[in-house]
Amino acid sequence: MTGIADDPFVAAVKPLVDAMGGEMLPPELAGVDDVVLSWEGVDVVAVRLPQLADSLDHILAALERKHGKPLAELDRKAKQETVRMLEARGAFSVRHGVETVAGALGVSRFTVYNYLNREKGA
């Protein structure tokens, strides 16, 4: 990707692609499911989007970096806030999303459902 790495458009979209766990590649290597981004009529970069399950893992890893420690070490209130944020981002629409989040938080599936129900009941 050396040819496109220096492009200012690529530099501008890189934080977004990184945040969603995507991969950037030259447009000529784009597959049918990749998104080719053009600037001023020229194909500049292709973005390979992650599978939803991979996106959840990427989001969980980003949250751990943000907190500076494993999510399982957060206090209960921080875990509840994390579950609310993940719900807003669609984490629980992914197959096995509740199980994946529960594992990352070091709690049971029941606890995650409890956090979700508590928010809806409040």
Side-chain angles (χ1 to χ4, degrees), residues 45-119:
V45 65
V47 177
R48 182 158 295 152
L49 300 173
Q51 299 297 314
L52 283 176
D54 295 337
S55 291
L56 180 54
D57 290 338
H58 187 78
I59 291 168
L60 291 169
L63 285 170
E64 285 191 342
R65 284 192 303 276
K66 177 182 171 189
H67 287 286
K69 59 184 169 184
L71 297 178
E73 294 179 10
L74 298 176
D75 63 29
R76 184 172 52 102
K77 182 176 181 189
K79 288 180 181 181
Q80 289 170 335
E81 291 170 3
T82 298
V83 167
R84 281 193 295 275
M85 188 276 305
L86 289 168
E87 182 182 29
R89 294 191 64 183
F92 303 113
S93 63
V94 175
R95 186 172 185 199
H96 303 297
V98 171
E99 292 86 348
T100 301
V101 170
L105 293 175
V107 299
S108 68
R109 287 180 13 204
F110 176 80
T111 298
V112 172
Y113 284 118
N114 194 17
Y115 291 166
L116 290 168
N117 289 333
R118 178 172 294 138
E119 179 64 21

Side-chain angles (χ1 to χ4, degrees), residues 20 22-23 25-37 45-52:
M20 53 186 214
E23 176 186 352
L25 49 140
E28 61 272 10
L29 298 179
V32 60
D33 292 330
D34 297 333
V35 178
V36 177
L37 301 177
V45 65
V47 177
R48 182 158 295 152
L49 300 173
Q51 299 297 314
L52 283 176

